[in-house]
Amino acid sequence: RPTPTIDNRQSTKMVSTIIPFILMYLFFLVNTLPIMIEAIHLDIHIPLESPLIEHIVLESNAKDSINTPLRSTRSSCLYDESMRLNTRLKQTFNDYEIIDFESLHIPHITLYLTDFNVTVDNDDGGNSSDSNNHYSMESFLLAIREAVDVLPSCTITIISTRLIGDYAMIDVQYTPCLQQLSDSVVNATLKYVSRPSVVPLWVYNLPEPMRSDKLDMIQKYNSPNVFSGFDNPHITVGYFPDSAENKQTEIITETLATLNDQIPTVCESMGDTIAVGVVGNQGGTVLKGSILSQALLTPSAVEC
């Protein structure tokens, strides 16, 4: 049986058909690459460690910013317990546990975690965006500071530890004060959020109606854990990739239960700082040395 062949005319026709598709694909890459590169994964959060550093903080009655040393909350119970649990998990599971508060990551409570279209070289003065919808970092950080400028600090209380998927967490008490902080930073930064929204794989495994609720939040805010979804504030103290597949779930849960029994009966601290930091690729938590901005909340002796 003769082998089929393609003559020159057929070959030319195939090439002429394929080339437009190649050109369209290259055009797509060139036009979307800046968006892909410049969207930054940021965590707006309450740090449990606020070292005394010189930082620009806006005063409500001041025209310009001033350099003010931030208060230190490093000696708090929440910070101490977060460090203790992370250290013990690292000692028990070695390199299998990814989060490292000693040298790589920062213990914190997330208020809003998503991708933002902000750049450090867009000096447009603040509120306008360029042709790719990228805003200046200065404008973005200013929006956060102004949003929290008059909000009170929050009392944060530990409830217990648990393993959710591959993440070891310390759950903290939900309060209207924490909800107000999260709502405020989401509303202030929504226009900076990168689109289209990206759905985390774990959301598809949720039961209904929770799955639909989370998908709706992601569509609107590019995050499943804001507004009505901000119902489980927590501190992530460990990350174990593919824990179920590696048959580690039971031993991790047992280890957390033992560590939980050692937490003081009453363990609470004052969350008095809002920070913005870059999130690492592994473990999805804030990297040390990545803090872009910190702002003090109004001191409050009473929970709002």
Side-chain angles (χ1 to χ4, degrees):
R1 184 177 181 179
T3 303
T5 60
I6 300 176
D7 61 30
N8 290 337
R9 285 178 300 175
Q10 290 176 309
S11 177
T12 301
K13 185 177 180 181
M14 289 176 60
V15 171
S16 63
T17 303
I18 293 173
I19 285 179
F21 289 101
I22 295 175
L23 292 176
M24 289 175 61
Y25 180 68
L26 290 175
F27 178 81
F28 171 80
L29 286 180
V30 168
N31 282 274
T32 59
L33 194 57
I35 298 175
M36 295 163 59
I37 291 175
E38 295 182 33
I40 306 176
H41 203 41
L42 298 177
D43 193 317
I44 306 173
H45 61 276
I46 300 174
L48 303 186
E49 175 185 15
S50 297
L52 290 172
I53 60 172
E54 291 294 314
H55 189 77
I56 295 176
V57 179
L58 292 182
E59 287 195 334
S60 56
N61 296 325
K63 221 175 179 186
D64 301 314
S65 302
I66 61 172
N67 286 329
T68 305
L70 295 177
R71 295 187 295 271
S72 174
T73 60
R74 184 165 185 166
S75 60
S76 72
C77 181
L78 267 70
Y79 174 82
D80 293 342
E81 288 304 304
S82 299
M83 292 297 294
R84 180 180 69 84
L85 265 69
N86 179 249
T87 299
R88 286 288 301 276
L89 291 173
K90 290 294 291 181
Q91 291 172 345
T92 303
F93 296 96
N94 300 310
D95 292 339
Y96 178 51
E97 196 288 299
I98 301 298
I99 294 176
D100 184 354
F101 289 157
E102 190 63 39
S103 59
L104 297 177
H105 304 107
I106 296 173
H108 66 281
I109 297 169
T110 294
L111 299 173
Y112 192 23
L113 169 65
T114 191
D115 293 323
F116 294 97
N117 281 334
V118 291
T119 61
V120 294
D121 57 354
N122 184 348
D123 55 357
D124 57 17
N127 292 322
S128 63
S129 64
D130 62 20
S131 59
N132 286 320
N133 236 15
H134 299 137
Y135 292 85
S136 71
M137 181 68 75
E138 180 183 0
S139 163
F140 172 72
L141 297 178
L142 178 62
I144 296 171
R145 290 198 295 267
E146 289 180 338
V148 304
D149 185 49
V150 296
L151 296 183
S153 53
C154 298
T155 300
I156 305 172
T157 305
I158 285 180
I159 300 177
S160 63
T161 62
R162 61 173 175 159
L163 181 69
I164 300 295
D166 296 332
Y167 293 89
M169 300 177 177
I170 300 176
D171 285 337
V172 301
Q173 183 68 52
Y174 167 87
T175 63
C177 188
L178 289 175
Q179 182 76 65
Q180 182 183 32
L181 289 179
S182 178
D183 293 353
S184 297
V185 297
V186 174
N187 284 326
T189 60
L190 187 57
K191 76 173 185 179
Y192 301 91
V193 171
S194 176
R195 303 291 181 179
S197 302
V198 178
V199 180
L201 294 178
W202 58 266
V203 171
Y204 292 111
N205 296 323
L206 295 174
E208 290 291 0
M210 185 184 300
R211 179 171 62 232
S212 294
D213 291 342
K214 293 291 187 183
L215 289 172
D216 182 58
M217 287 294 172
I218 293 169
Q219 178 66 31
K220 292 177 179 177
Y221 311 108
N222 209 358
S223 171
N225 300 320
V226 295
F227 294 111
S228 61
F230 185 77
D231 53 2
N232 177 224
H234 60 270
I235 307 157
T236 301
V237 294
Y239 173 56
F240 305 87
D242 303 319
S243 57
E245 291 82 350
N246 291 317
K247 300 181 179 179
Q248 295 293 309
T249 302
E250 185 176 348
I251 187 171
I252 296 170
T253 302
E254 291 174 355
T255 303
L256 283 174
T258 300
L259 295 174
N260 185 75
D261 292 341
Q262 299 165 4
I263 295 176
T265 304
V266 177
C267 182
E268 63 182 28
S269 304
M270 189 63 70
D272 60 7
T273 307
I274 298 292
V276 183
V278 178
V279 176
N281 293 327
Q282 288 191 312
T285 195
V286 181
L287 297 170
K288 277 186 182 292
S290 75
I291 299 302
L292 303 173
S293 175
Q294 293 191 90
L296 291 175
L297 298 168
T298 302
S300 174
V302 180
E303 178 71 36
C304 71

